[in-house]
Amino acid sequence: MTALGTITVAQLPEVVKTGQCMGCGFCQLPVGDTVTPAAIGMRYSPEDEYWVPEISKAGAEMDPEDLRICPGARMDMRALSEAIFGELPADPMVAEAKLIASGHATDDNVRRNAASGGVTSAILGYLFTSGSIDVAYCTNGRSPDSGRGMLVRSAADLKSMMGSHYHPVNFGDMLPELADSTSRFAFVGLPCEVAALRQLLAARPDLAKRCVLVIGLFCGGINRFSGIADYLRNFGVDRANVTGIDYRDGPWPGRIRLTATDGSDGKTVPRILGNSRWNILRYVIAFQGYSMLPRCRICPDQIADFADIAVGDPHLGRFKEADSPGHSAIIARTATGLVMLEAAVAAGAVVLGDLSRDELVRSQGYTLENRRHAPVYVRMARCLGMTPPEITVYDDLEKARSPHQNVYALVDLLKIKWRGVKFLRPFHLVIQVFEYLFLTFSIRILLSRLKKLVSGR
């Protein structure tokens, strides 16, 4: 058993059935000695609304005890940290960090068109131009129907990968090709995908030798498109007509820009900034509530603990100036990550600025805190009759729980459990208003939020 934890092929259907799968696609790649070509593929499940593994006819006879990587079913943060860094993190809230900084791409087009200040795209561009990599594994996620993991082969091709995706994509689409190639590569993924890659590299020394850099993206969770469609409907947009969606259009942190077939091509709708208070609550319902994948709700890692470099949004007031072209929060976690980041800065691809440890934590808000207390969610899920993943967090986090965490876990998981209850759908906004007002445990915050609701701002 390797650090992250594996499952057998025979266990895959149960992982999907219980909602532990998040569709990363790493289960396509064998870990043990037995290799059956194209034994497992990924298909889109209309019922689940994300990509799930499917055993092919060619793989029907493979050993059911064949091991597969599954960060959805098992995540041992302690073991994985010790395997990568040789120790547990001194600061379990931010994990291993050799450098914490803010930053952005120096190329203004990259900075504006990519997510979070364009640092990820800028670093990849530097790796290509310096001849350090042959390919980069990234996600083309703007299509709600055909977003997938892709092998990018030049700096010029990075443009189609820029931006963010908050709906499911077939991330593992080209993982088999990456694993079977001889190319030197950089990898860009969400925290769970980074953790899966680390286990694959441990099992495949040949692949580890070709991996130049692992970049992890901060993640708030992936949401089923039906929930996102409900939000768009508030602005007169029919999901059936949407062929492309850019969640980060315009000044940072961006609006939602749609490509459609009904003449509304180029229409934008707000996310948080520039939105009414009532529509912000509708946004929370769509992107942080009932439609989130169950495994994303029970997750210990928001800020890519096991990447060489972790990158995300620094949600702080000082970065939200008018017409901002974007900023990134950056954590160099390994010696490799620090060297590559410094090289990109020296080459003029990236500019760094100040960001303290406490600012980093503040910039991620309650999401980071709740993720770090994933065992509370695991225990609450069992109480609600759900089958949670096996999660082990850093020791110090187990000792630092707040009583509020149980309330947050109950509310968040009830939304997931009640997603399919049709008679509750008209009351989602009412429930969200109640949560917004009364789950804060503070009279001052209650009065402030009530004022915002009345004013609509």
Side-chain angles (χ1 to χ4, degrees):
M1 189 67 66
T2 49
L4 175 61
T6 52
I7 63 171
T8 66
V9 168
Q11 292 172 310
L12 278 174
E14 186 66 16
V15 169
V16 175
K17 180 181 177 181
T18 56
Q20 296 175 32
C21 175
M22 78 280 281
C24 70
F26 274 87
C27 57
Q28 298 174 99
L29 307 176
V31 177
D33 297 330
T34 303
V35 178
T36 305
I40 297 176
M42 302 299 290
R43 67 172 179 85
Y44 184 77
S45 166
E47 178 182 356
D48 299 304
E49 295 189 54
Y50 61 93
W51 296 84
V52 300
E54 182 176 57
I55 299 175
S56 68
K57 291 181 179 179
E61 301 301 320
M62 67 180 157
D63 186 350
E65 297 303 310
D66 188 14
L67 293 179
R68 299 291 163 137
I69 295 167
C70 185
R74 290 178 179 156
M75 179 71 78
D76 189 333
M77 304 289 281
R78 291 182 219 159
L80 197 48
S81 181
E82 289 176 338
I84 296 169
F85 306 111
E87 60 184 1
L88 296 178
D91 184 345
M93 188 58 72
V94 301
E96 191 73 19
K98 295 187 177 299
L99 174 71
I100 296 174
S102 64
H104 59 79
T106 55
D107 185 313
D108 194 57
N109 287 327
V110 173
R111 186 180 180 186
R112 286 184 176 275
N113 292 324
S116 303
V119 165
T120 297
S121 297
I123 292 175
L124 293 178
Y126 160 74
L127 293 176
F128 274 119
T129 57
S130 66
S132 301
I133 60 173
D134 304 309
V135 299
Y137 198 87
C138 306
T139 305
N140 177 0
R142 295 193 178 184
S143 168
D145 300 309
S146 58
R148 62 194 182 105
M150 297 186 67
L151 292 173
V152 180
R153 302 186 185 277
S154 71
D157 292 335
L158 287 170
K159 185 176 181 180
S160 63
M161 306 295 133
M162 293 180 183
S164 298
H165 65 275
Y166 300 128
H167 56 261
V169 300
N170 185 9
F171 181 81
D173 190 47
M174 299 189 78
L175 282 176
E177 182 175 341
L178 175 68
D180 293 339
S181 73
T182 58
S183 301
R184 298 167 301 159
F185 67 94
F187 179 92
V188 181
L190 302 178
C192 55
E193 294 155 356
V194 167
L197 177 72
R198 288 298 191 188
Q199 184 183 13
L200 181 64
L201 298 182
R204 291 276 305 269
D206 60 314
L207 192 62
K209 290 179 182 178
R210 296 191 283 110
C211 182
V212 175
L213 187 69
V214 179
I215 300 178
L217 307 176
F218 293 9
C219 178
I222 296 298
N223 307 276
R224 294 178 173 93
F225 208 90
S226 58
I228 299 172
D230 286 343
Y231 178 71
L232 296 179
R233 199 172 296 116
N234 294 307
F235 299 90
V237 176
D238 185 348
R239 161 31 188 140
N241 295 321
V242 175
T243 59
I245 182 166
D246 178 1
Y247 297 97
R248 309 301 291 266
D249 183 66
W252 181 84
R255 294 166 61 89
I256 297 175
R257 185 180 187 275
L258 304 167
T259 303
T261 60
D262 63 352
S264 60
D265 189 28
K267 180 174 182 175
T268 64
V269 300
R271 292 169 57 206
I272 302 296
L273 293 182
N275 213 346
S276 73
R277 184 57 46 178
W278 290 96
N279 275 335
I280 289 174
L281 292 179
R282 293 185 176 97
Y283 179 88
V284 171
I285 291 171
F287 288 86
Q288 299 175 23
Y290 303 85
S291 297
M292 185 176 287
L293 300 188
R295 176 57 178 81
C296 293
R297 181 54 76 190
I298 309 176
C299 176
D301 185 6
Q302 185 209 353
I303 54 176
D305 287 21
F306 308 118
D308 292 312
I309 301 174
V311 181
D313 287 306
H315 293 292
L316 298 171
R318 69 183 177 95
F319 294 120
K320 294 180 181 179
E321 67 267 21
D323 197 33
S324 170
H327 299 271
S328 299
I330 308 166
I331 311 171
R333 298 196 180 280
T334 66
T336 296
L338 184 59
V339 168
M340 291 296 183
L341 178 61
E342 290 175 340
V345 171
V350 174
V351 172
L352 297 183
D354 293 332
L355 184 70
S356 71
R357 178 269 182 199
D358 289 346
E359 283 184 310
L360 171 69
V361 173
R362 260 200 328 275
S363 75
Q364 303 310 303
Y366 66 86
T367 303
L368 177 57
E369 181 183 0
N370 287 357
R371 292 293 178 85
R372 291 310 196 199
H373 293 293
V376 177
Y377 281 72
V378 169
R379 287 187 282 273
M380 188 61 68
R382 291 197 184 105
C383 291
L384 294 174
M386 303 168 72
T387 304
E390 296 177 20
I391 290 177
T392 303
V393 299
Y394 312 125
D395 294 339
D396 289 347
L397 293 175
E398 285 281 13
K399 305 171 186 176
R401 290 194 304 272
S402 158
H404 295 172
Q405 294 302 323
N406 291 288
V407 178
Y408 297 146
L410 176 62
V411 172
D412 288 340
L413 291 172
L414 281 177
K415 289 179 181 179
I416 299 295
K417 193 174 178 67
W418 290 345
R419 181 180 75 90
V421 181
K422 293 184 178 180
F423 80 86
L424 285 178
R425 290 180 64 84
F427 301 101
H428 283 181
L429 183 58
V430 175
I431 295 170
Q432 193 62 48
V433 169
F434 181 86
E435 177 185 343
Y436 176 69
L437 291 176
F438 298 110
L439 294 186
T440 59
F441 305 96
S442 167
I443 296 298
R444 179 183 61 80
I445 295 177
L446 168 62
L447 294 177
S448 172
R449 291 182 172 181
L450 187 59
K451 179 180 179 181
K452 290 178 181 178
L453 278 179
V454 172
S455 66
R457 294 182 294 180

